[in-house]
Amino acid sequence: MWFELTEEQSMIKKLIREFAESEVAPGADERDRTGEFPEEVFSQLGELGLMGLPFPEQYEGGAADTISFAIVVEELSRVCASTGITYSAHISLGGAPLHLFGTDEQKRNYLSPLCTGEYLGAFGLTEPNAGSDAGGTRTTAILDGDEWIINGSKCFITNASYAKNLVITAITDRSKGMNGISAFIVPTDAPGFTVINNYEKLGLHASNTTELVLDNVRIPKENLLGEEGRGYKQFLATLDGGRIGIGAMAVGLAQGAYEKSLQYAKERKQFGKNLAEFQAIQFKLADMAMNIEVARNMVYKAAWLKDQGKAFKTEAAMAKLFASEICMKVCDQAVQIHGGYGYMREYQVERFFRDAKLLEIGEGTSEVQRMVIARQICS
Ligand SMILES: Cc1cc2nc3c(=O)[nH]c(=O)nc-3n(C[C@H](O)[C@H](O)[C@H](O)COP(=O)(O)OP(=O)(O)OC[C@H]3O[C@@H](n4cnc5c(N)ncnc54)[C@H](O)[C@@H]3O)c2cc1C
């Protein structure tokens, strides 16, 4: 057992902490108010070589490990969860399926531009009638000569307005059930492809969440990702990795809310004392610190297992579930420690509180995580 970051992981942590503090944090409140997408931040992350962090160098990636990826997501989310989710989805939903299942040519054509930061990665799985039950996909792909014709719609898709290509799932053979779902790489500028960006969300206002409409979209036959009929298994494997990203987001967001609360408790005076001198507040801070520490260890362990090539499905689900639930509690207590000021935008913890809720929903709800864990331990 070794609980210290490697030299490379420490360097990445220092780099991204400084970047997040100087380039991401200052505009976070304003972006939350306006919904402006931080395009400039992602160009800068591209220049720093972080947009393809865990992918191989031959495809312009950084060849770093999953713990380093988790650290970047954590540090971005500590100051701005919208930036954190955009980065996490870009890597673990946009890039990962191409990396895991793409041919060399597909990786050169579609993974490399993600790694250089030319555009963002996205992954279209969820549909209006297929959320937790993603096997209920209704989008279809029919082979017509050398082209697939795709029809259907997707909802709640992160980053699609900033993606030139994205991976989506569609039914290629309805009679085969889950084994009749396949994955495709689809250019977002293909005729018949519409990306709609008009959701009004509770939080994560500066992240891009879209609806996709595919109306007789034609793509070349070779844009099938991996084998026909393997799409369901591919997206389950993709989500296993994605859960490490959401877990890391939860750890970072909780850390940010905790730090603001600690600072506030040391400054705010009531009854002639700082709040931090009251045991009731100290115990809240102690619980926050403890839960964040446990969650971080769980996320890093799941990432480490993945890097070792070991099974990590259960640990990733546990880490995502635990981290997202403690994040929600930490943010709730952060608002409580700030009292009435916590309810006001100026003190930022209300932004953290609103942003945190998505972590119990995205990439598998808490109920779905419990189903995944139960399936593993009861089988
Ligand atoms: C901001 C945002 C970004 C997103 N980004 C993406 C993305 O990039 N790509 C993508 O494909 N999707 C994305 N999603 C979709 C997300 O993954 C789904 O919202 C999520 O999986 C839940 O699906 P649903 O919303 O249809 O809820 P439902 O599946 O309808 O669930 C509703 C409730 O019922 C519960 N439930 C459902 N089935 C069961 C069961 N069998 N047992 C017990 N309880 C159950 C759920 O846990 C939940 O509490 C995003 C969503 C949001 C809000």
Side-chain angles (χ1 to χ4, degrees):
M1 299 282 275
W2 187 255
F3 285 101
E4 288 203 346
L5 299 181
T6 63
E7 202 176 316
E8 190 191 3
Q9 290 160 354
S10 300
M11 271 170 48
I12 289 174
K13 186 175 171 86
K14 184 168 179 294
L15 173 78
I16 191 67
R17 168 68 64 104
E18 285 170 7
F19 178 81
E21 294 279 1
S22 64
E23 307 300 325
V24 185
D29 287 339
E30 186 57 16
R31 292 193 298 272
D32 175 57
R33 243 185 298 274
T34 62
E36 189 196 336
F37 186 78
E39 268 189 281
E40 179 57 24
V41 164
F42 292 99
S43 313
Q44 290 173 290
L45 286 170
E47 283 160 24
L48 290 173
L50 295 176
M51 291 303 276
L53 191 66
F55 301 123
E57 281 171 343
Q58 70 185 112
Y59 304 113
E60 317 291 338
D65 59 12
T66 310
I67 295 182
S68 301
F69 157 70
I71 289 170
V72 174
V73 175
E74 183 184 333
E75 291 297 328
L76 292 173
S77 305
R78 178 177 158 270
V79 298
C80 174
S82 289
T83 307
I85 194 176
T86 305
Y87 180 81
S88 185
H90 166 77
I91 299 271
S92 65
L93 297 183
L98 297 166
H99 169 57
L100 290 172
F101 311 111
T103 61
D104 176 58
E105 195 184 350
Q106 286 173 335
K107 289 183 201 182
R108 274 190 280 113
N109 289 341
Y110 304 110
L111 181 58
S112 295
L114 296 186
C115 293
T116 56
E118 194 181 315
Y119 55 86
L120 293 178
F123 179 68
L125 170 66
T126 306
E127 298 186 4
N129 293 303
S132 301
D133 178 17
T137 298
R138 293 194 183 167
T139 297
T140 56
I142 296 168
L143 194 58
D144 178 34
D146 284 343
E147 291 180 328
W148 292 98
I149 307 175
I150 307 183
N151 278 291
S153 65
K154 301 281 172 182
C155 61
F156 308 147
I157 308 306
T158 304
N159 291 347
S161 302
Y162 299 90
K164 277 195 189 151
N165 297 281
L166 49 73
V167 175
I168 63 142
T169 48
I171 300 173
T172 42
D173 186 344
R174 200 176 290 279
S175 69
K176 291 186 179 159
M178 306 296 187
N179 293 324
I181 298 177
S182 306
F184 299 90
I185 304 165
V186 187
T188 51
D189 63 359
F193 195 132
T194 314
V195 179
I196 305 162
N197 172 21
N198 64 5
Y199 288 118
E200 292 184 40
K201 293 177 291 188
L202 171 70
L204 298 173
H205 290 162
S207 79
N208 175 247
T209 314
T210 63
E211 202 179 332
L212 313 179
V213 179
L214 298 103
D215 180 14
N216 283 319
V217 172
R218 287 179 168 268
I219 58 167
K221 195 177 169 187
E222 58 271 19
N223 279 27
L224 175 73
L225 181 67
E227 284 171 49
E228 190 179 333
R230 301 284 294 172
Y232 187 75
K233 294 215 166 81
Q234 289 170 351
F235 73 66
L236 287 186
T238 301
L239 289 179
D240 285 341
R243 284 167 188 157
I244 295 174
I246 298 285
M249 261 192 85
V251 170
L253 211 156
Q255 179 73 31
Y258 159 73
E259 287 175 16
K260 289 191 190 308
S261 306
L262 182 60
Q263 188 187 344
Y264 187 80
K266 286 179 176 172
E267 289 166 3
R268 170 79 170 164
K269 276 196 166 43
Q270 286 295 281
F271 301 98
K273 286 181 175 178
N274 290 330
L275 296 182
E277 292 177 64
F278 300 124
Q279 197 177 50
I281 302 293
Q282 289 174 355
F283 280 10
K284 286 187 198 299
L285 291 163
D287 283 348
M288 288 166 142
M290 173 187 71
N291 281 321
I292 294 168
E293 181 63 15
V294 177
R296 182 177 289 113
N297 279 301
M298 291 176 79
V299 170
Y300 287 8
K301 182 178 173 192
W304 179 84
L305 286 169
K306 180 170 184 282
D307 288 333
Q308 302 304 309
K310 295 177 191 278
F312 67 98
K313 186 187 219 22
T314 311
E315 288 78 4
M318 286 178 172
K320 192 268 184 189
L321 173 61
F322 184 79
S324 59
E325 292 195 344
I326 69 100
C327 179
M328 199 65 238
K329 281 189 201 135
V330 165
C331 291
D332 176 40
Q333 291 302 297
V335 173
Q336 193 68 20
I337 289 172
H338 282 73
Y341 295 98
Y343 206 70
M344 304 296 150
R345 289 209 153 170
E346 191 188 344
Y347 282 78
Q348 295 180 323
V349 285
E350 69 88 38
R351 165 164 64 89
F352 284 67
F353 180 83
R354 285 185 285 106
D355 289 351
K357 187 58 201 171
L358 182 270
L359 306 176
E360 295 182 323
I361 297 171
E363 301 201 30
T365 60
S366 292
E367 291 77 10
V368 166
Q369 303 310 319
R370 288 187 167 85
M371 280 156 60
V372 170
I373 297 164
R375 222 176 275 139
Q376 296 294 314
I377 59 180
C378 298
S379 62

